[in-house]
Amino acid sequence: MAVFTALSEARLAAWVQHYAIGKIIDFHGIASGIENSNFFLTTTTGEYVLTIFEKLTAHELPFYLELMRHLAAHHVPVPDPMRRADGALFGMLMNKPAAIVTRLAGSPRLAPQVAHCAEVGRMLARMHIAGKDIPMYQPNLRGLPWWQDNVPAVLPYVTDSQHRLLTSELAYHQSFFASLDYAGLPGGPCHCDLFRDNVLFTSCDGRDALGGFFDFYFAGCDKWLFDVAVTVNDWCVDLNTGRLNQAQTQALLCAYHAVRPFTSSETEHWRNMLRAGAFRFWLSRLYDFYLPRDAHLLKPHNPAHFEQVLRERISADMLPWL
Amino acid sequence: MAVFTALSEARLAAWVQHYAIGKIIDFHGIASGIENSNFFLTTTTGEYVLTIFEKLTAHELPFYLELMRHLAAHHVPVPDPMRRADGALFGMLMNKPAAIVTRLAGSPRLAPQVAHCAEVGRMLARMHIAGKDIPMYQPNLRGLPWWQDNVPAVLPYVTDSQHRLLTSELAYHQSFFASLDYAGLPGGPCHCDLFRDNVLFTSCDGRDALGGFFDFYFAGCDKWLFDVAVTVNDWCVDLNTGRLNQAQTQALLCAYHAVRPFTSSETEHWRNMLRAGAFRFWLSRLYDFYLPRDAHLLKPHNPAHFEQVLRERISADMLPWL
């Protein structure tokens, strides 16, 4: 969707000398992502991705990069940040923080099958376990405090019906997040944005294998159940109706459970968390739609999809358990 | 359910002398209603109902009694309050306000058929129109301000799930009631409690005819659509599932429309108002359940029914229009 920062090869070549990754053979911008400028970078030593952070500050970056290094070291396939000669995981490029990470093999599966969902569930659970002992903490910066700050910002732009839904849903989650049950849910580092376009699959002998998770720049410590809910809301959704595909959902959850079973409290609050996950993305998409930032190529997602998803999750949450 | 105040015949006989309704032949308490003490009263001139108001104050009563007189005078079959020799519609009996009204013929239909729903819808619309020009105003005293005051009162008693539902639903209706659309909905005197047990039917030649509406002691000026929603939520509900029976709902609304068609805005906000109607009764039943008043025979309704109804209405409200 967006390449924000224009970058000359000369400037890049000079900057890359801080790294021991050889000489540039090719580089070009990637037209996806809405928060950063990304470039594929081919050098004499391999394939990399250069990210210039348009919004993230040098203060927030260490958590993301250390998390990726930690996960990569624990055999979770994620981009591995390269260290500079000075030992840092990022530097400043055109007055913005920038990092170089290894490039994962594979391509997204934007119309996933049941088997893809299972792979994602299994690896998500492995990622949660592997991330547990990282000695850094940063909250999910798109969590409840962000919702509380930004619901009022979008209210002037929305319809009456959306006003009611935003207001009541915020109150709902404030109540949920304040409960003892919520406090007791297990958590740790989460991806928080594990959508279809942030997972790569490679094809080998006609079988797809998970190539890796990437784009950790919304990652943060949160309830693991929230991460699962965000993931299911995207991977297992019927894009026409907003409903969950039962086979895909079951496959993702079963594969996740096989690695890390839900606690009984997580099972009890699964539907609440599906609402929370849908609300988080509806709100941020409303925000990006009505309050867009400057960008060369920014094309915000239509918020309507996540409004539909949220309404479906609320509707499902109103029904008695089977 | 309740006869609160014990009353001797001697005391009643003395008090009835304020009215020109003859001498008492018989009287006995009625074991229904949860807000007042009611007695059937047979005198030498006819059948009456004596009500001793346990909670309502002398300040609130004139609206109810004048409304009933006004409706009766406009041929809406409702109990007609008798005037005392001093011209008043009520007096004090055992230090409580009390009134005598005519007794309607018939009996309730607690398992209504489609035809009963249609009769109720038709008469409700006639009542709304007939009440329009009453020169008194009293708001529905169980409206939004009461909800705002009493949600916090019940929160300490409910489960986390109910806490979330109460909190989010209150926020929802605050948003709804603050909208221009809401302000523009037509209204006037409403019954506000037109449940199955507050309507009588007489049977004649095997056909049921509507005998009348009674128990106006929750009446108040409100949006007519709210009154219709409260009525539909009771008359047309499947008591097992909380869902609306489509045939009954359609019959009630069609009959109502034939007398007073909905405005387009009323049609648009019908589902919101069904939620508001369900919320109002869930909340008051929670209140009566957890914070009961002194009463000889008070047996509060189980709040669970209206929680189920509310969840069903929310669920339905989340779905796209057909």
Side-chain angles (χ1 to χ4, degrees), chain A residues 17-20 82-88:
Chain A
Q17 291 178 355
H18 294 292
Y19 292 83
M82 299 288 98
R83 277 205 197 282
R84 289 156 49 104
D86 62 7

Side-chain angles (χ1 to χ4, degrees), chain B residues 130-321:
Chain B
K132 250 170 53 169
D133 54 352
I134 180 180
M136 295 186 80
Y137 176 82
Q138 186 162 283
N140 167 14
L141 299 175
R142 288 287 182 285
L144 180 62
W146 191 87
W147 308 350
Q148 289 168 322
D149 287 347
N150 289 284
V151 163
V154 302
L155 284 182
Y157 301 97
V158 300
T159 66
D160 280 1
S161 163
Q162 293 168 330
H163 189 291
R164 293 192 292 273
L165 188 56
L166 283 164
T167 308
S168 59
E169 200 62 7
L170 180 60
Y172 183 91
H173 292 299
Q174 286 177 155
S175 170
F176 177 32
F177 283 41
S179 68
L180 279 177
D181 273 15
Y182 180 85
L185 294 172
C190 291
H191 186 286
C192 296
D193 189 33
L194 195 61
F195 280 43
R196 300 177 189 188
D197 52 0
N198 287 334
V199 178
L200 300 178
F201 284 87
T202 56
S203 200
C204 180
D205 295 336
R207 280 197 54 192
D208 279 358
L210 200 145
F213 295 169
F214 67 103
D215 199 353
F216 278 76
Y217 304 112
F218 282 110
C221 294
D222 207 329
K223 302 303 185 184
W224 286 331
L225 195 66
F226 177 79
D227 215 12
V228 182
V230 166
T231 307
V232 164
N233 271 339
D234 186 64
W235 282 86
C236 308
V237 76
D238 178 321
L239 292 172
N240 291 313
T241 64
R243 294 199 191 137
L244 291 181
N245 176 298
Q246 209 174 350
Q248 291 179 326
T249 306
Q250 201 167 337
L252 195 152
L253 291 181
C254 282
Y256 185 95
H257 286 198
V259 179
R260 189 192 75 80
F262 277 6
T263 65
S264 62
S265 183
E266 284 180 302
T267 300
E268 187 185 341
H269 293 291
W270 171 237
R271 301 197 297 188
N272 307 136
M273 209 58 110
L274 284 172
R275 281 174 75 158
F279 182 68
R280 175 256 179 268
F281 282 94
W282 184 41
L283 178 58
S284 71
R285 289 186 175 188
L286 284 171
Y287 187 91
D288 291 337
F289 191 79
Y290 290 115
L291 301 156
R293 297 180 299 281
D294 269 351
H296 289 173
L297 299 166
L298 188 66
K299 180 166 173 292
H301 293 287
N302 183 344
H305 169 65
F306 266 106
E307 178 178 352
Q308 186 187 37
V309 170
L310 176 59
R311 288 178 182 275
E312 280 294 338
R313 299 297 171 276
I314 294 172
S315 181
D317 186 33
M318 290 299 109
L319 303 176
W321 285 90

